[in-house]
Amino acid sequence: MSWILLVVAGLFEVLFASCLGKAREATGLAMYGWYGGFLVSLTISMALLIKATQTLPIGTAYAVWTGIGAVGTVLAGILLFKEPASAWRIFFLTTLVGSIVGLKAISH
């Protein structure tokens, strides 16, 4: 169950980072709505991370959480914000995913 909470926490990390990107593009009340989404997503992400680390090793949990956030945020940037999808970006995302899977595989 802790791994599921950790993955969901990572997805909320992607959401709060994406909200920051959308807030940067928005103006007026819409900007405040995106910042509100950022705060809600941040709170949920942190709460789930705290819950997951009650049973998972902190180093592994934090690395997986940030890894999910990093990969998801780069993918969101490519898909939502038209950032470049160069071969090197995809290569390093792939190595990051491999590292995350490896950390999960060796954790107790």
Side-chain angles (χ1 to χ4, degrees):
M1 183 65 173
S2 294
W3 284 105
I4 293 170
L5 292 176
L6 187 60
V7 169
V8 174
L11 294 174
F12 273 98
E13 183 183 5
V14 174
L15 185 59
F16 78 67
S18 298
C19 285
L20 282 177
K22 290 301 233 179
R24 187 182 62 197
E25 296 176 349
T27 59
L29 289 177
M31 179 184 66
Y32 294 111
W34 287 112
Y35 283 131
F38 163 77
L39 291 173
V40 169
S41 301
L42 176 67
T43 302
I44 293 169
S45 182
M46 290 295 154
L48 292 173
L49 177 62
I50 290 167
K51 184 70 176 162
T53 58
Q54 291 174 348
T55 56
L56 297 174
I58 187 70
T60 301
Y62 185 74
V64 170
W65 177 75
T66 57
I68 292 169
V71 170
T73 302
V74 170
L75 291 175
I78 291 169
L79 298 172
L80 299 175
F81 300 105
K82 308 297 184 232
E83 293 177 359
S86 69
W88 282 113
R89 285 184 99 184
I90 302 304
F91 170 76
F92 286 116
L93 278 177
T94 304
T95 61
L96 181 56
V97 169
S99 297
I100 294 166
V101 170
L103 281 172
K104 190 214 180 288
I106 64 164
S107 69
H108 298 78

